[in-house]
Amino acid sequence: MQPKLTIAIPTYNRIEKLQICIEKVLQQIEGKPVELIICDNASTDCTQEVLERINNNRFTYYRNETNVGPDNNFLLGYERAKGEYVMLLGDDDYFLPGAIDSILDALSKNPVMVYLNSSSLKKENPFKFSRPRFEEHGLLEYT
């Protein structure tokens, strides 16, 4: 079955942040029509070793043979995606609880595009977030 959403995480040499990002995504996608892929742009740190050690079939790890640059790595995320919709997620971006459910709810309306509000991370441990960039009004639909 084709997933509704592919979350593609491009990465390069940021395993500490990537591990947190993956953990936050995996906490929310269990049993949902969501595919998670990691697109490693030939990292020279321990990214490959760490991700290959994780015995988890809930994400697919792709490693480029050479660094193809950030733009091409982003495009590879789109090309490798099997989902009806694709979301690029920065390796240092973290979902708040309930984010995936909200995204899937918005996608159930078959939009052309979804814009997600965001806030910045003030402190990683424990996680503290600043206010969202824009005032919250729930799901808005435009025609």
Side-chain angles (χ1 to χ4, degrees):
M1 177 171 80
Q2 177 188 17
K4 184 76 168 177
L5 174 65
T6 295
I7 299 172
I9 304 175
T11 192
Y12 178 73
N13 283 350
R14 298 204 306 188
I15 188 60
E16 297 84 14
K17 302 226 180 246
L18 177 63
Q19 284 181 285
I20 297 168
C21 179
I22 291 170
E23 176 187 326
K24 298 281 182 197
V25 172
L26 291 178
Q27 288 171 355
Q28 295 190 43
I29 66 172
E30 185 68 38
K32 296 184 173 119
V34 178
E35 168 192 44
L36 175 60
I37 62 175
I38 315 302
C39 299
D40 180 3
N41 206 6
S43 292
T44 57
D45 65 1
C46 61
T47 297
Q48 181 176 13
E49 294 79 18
V50 169
L51 294 185
E52 288 179 347
R53 273 197 314 259
I54 297 173
N55 185 13
N56 190 319
N57 61 358
R58 296 190 313 171
F59 70 85
T60 305
Y61 172 60
Y62 296 97
R63 178 179 165 78
N64 301 332
E65 289 184 24
T66 61
N67 187 319
V68 297
D71 292 342
N72 285 326
N73 198 36
F74 296 166
L75 291 174
L76 285 170
Y78 282 105
E79 290 173 11
R80 293 168 172 153
K82 296 179 181 127
E84 182 180 348
Y85 293 91
V86 180
M87 174 183 187
L88 281 179
L89 182 66
D91 58 6
D92 62 343
D93 293 334
Y94 311 131
F95 283 134
L96 292 174
I100 296 291
D101 288 334
S102 295
I103 293 167
L104 290 174
D105 180 54
L107 295 179
S108 72
K109 297 168 178 23
N110 296 316
V112 173
M113 183 190 93
V114 173
Y115 171 78
L116 301 174
N117 200 355
S118 61
S119 62
S120 60
L121 187 63
K122 292 164 84 174
K123 185 175 177 184
E124 287 185 36
N125 197 4
F127 284 101
K128 294 189 179 184
F129 299 88
S130 65
R131 292 181 309 121
R133 292 183 187 194
F134 303 102
E135 185 177 335
E136 292 289 339
H137 296 289
L139 179 63
L140 301 176
E141 297 179 41
Y142 298 91
T143 56

